Amino acid sequence: GARIAAALDGAGIAAAMSSVAGESRRTVSVVSAATGGSTLFNEPGPHVQGMEWQGVLATYARFVPRARVIVMSGSLPPGVPQDAYAELGRVAHGSGVTVIVDADGRVLERSLAAAPDVVKPNSAELRAATGVEGVEPAMRALLDAGARAVVATFGVDGIRAVTPDGAWSARLEAAVTGVNPTGAGDAVAAALAAGLEDERELPAILADAVAWSAAAVAAPLAGELDPGVLASAPASVRVEPA
């Protein structure tokens, strides 16, 4: 984690790291300048020992009361319990903190036991977590299983949100030249977190999520946003009841 900590520090981002013995995993995205397509290579990550996981929990518990929104994102490294996000979610809710889960398959499914405020699957993750055919039935299945709201992403087809109070769809009507789709889903999760922290209405949050995602796709490096797209995209986002 030393390189990660150094990179965060260099970017001016505060971080509290809990070290493990294994080397942090890397994710390599190979992008074609000719086609705009990309291939992602994900390392499995280090095996986390039991005491190391307890150290993570202790660090997390110290910082939870300072937060208003927590995003639990990605796969779990070997050795971490599959219900880890449920455990972390219960701790967060105990401090009145809003929880967003952005995960796949079994990890997403097990997180529902702690009633996350929002789950954010993409289309493949939606099917993997529920085994249900059809977007609407699958999203409703996540609600029935414990999620308080479901926001699903569908690439160029936009975003769909389902809550007990209603459903909305949001998409970008203007064309954006894609460079690297890696990180687009993370941009959506970031927009959701920022909007929930500011207590904005869900349609406005979805509009930001679409714009931030488009700006992420247009940037060559994952984790960056294209400033031109970020400035122009909001005017082209359409949000409507679904």
Side-chain angles (χ1 to χ4, degrees):
R3 292 180 183 178
I4 297 172
L8 291 170
D9 183 64
I13 300 172
M17 310 290 284
S18 183
S19 296
V20 299
E23 185 71 24
S24 298
R25 80 168 188 164
R26 293 166 294 180
T27 296
V28 179
S29 180
V30 181
V31 181
S32 168
T35 66
S38 65
T39 300
L40 199 63
F41 296 89
N42 291 319
E43 292 182 347
H47 191 283
V48 176
Q49 303 297 324
M51 290 303 296
E52 292 173 333
W53 174 240
Q54 293 304 312
V56 172
L57 291 176
T59 300
Y60 173 81
R62 288 200 304 272
F63 284 91
V64 163
R66 306 184 190 183
R68 294 183 63 186
V69 181
I70 289 176
V71 179
M72 303 174 190
S73 180
S75 59
L76 298 173
V80 173
Q82 290 293 290
D83 63 351
Y85 286 166
E87 183 174 8
L88 297 174
R90 292 187 188 98
V91 174
H93 281 159
S95 293
V97 179
T98 298
V99 173
I100 299 171
V101 173
D102 180 7
D104 193 6
R106 186 66 169 162
V107 176
L108 172 57
E109 180 185 348
R110 295 289 291 272
S111 76
L112 300 174
D117 297 277
V118 182
V119 295
K120 192 214 72 62
N122 59 32
S123 55
E125 292 165 349
L126 187 61
R127 290 191 298 272
T130 64
V132 175
E133 294 295 329
V135 170
E136 182 78 16
M139 294 180 73
R140 293 287 176 187
L142 290 178
L143 284 182
D144 293 342
R148 298 176 184 177
V150 182
V151 177
T153 59
F154 301 94
V156 295
D157 292 325
I159 296 174
R160 185 177 178 87
V162 174
T163 76
D165 300 321
W168 294 264
S169 64
R171 63 176 297 160
L172 188 69
E173 296 191 318
V176 172
T177 301
V179 177
N180 185 359
T182 307
D186 298 310
V188 171
L192 293 174
L196 290 170
E197 182 181 12
D198 292 339
E199 299 182 349
R200 302 178 68 197
E201 296 294 326
L202 185 55
I205 296 174
L206 296 177
D208 279 350
V210 170
W212 291 20
S213 178
V217 171
L221 295 179
E224 295 187 352
L225 302 178
D226 183 288
V229 173
L230 189 61
S232 63
S236 301
V237 177
R238 181 173 182 176
V239 183
E240 54 190 2

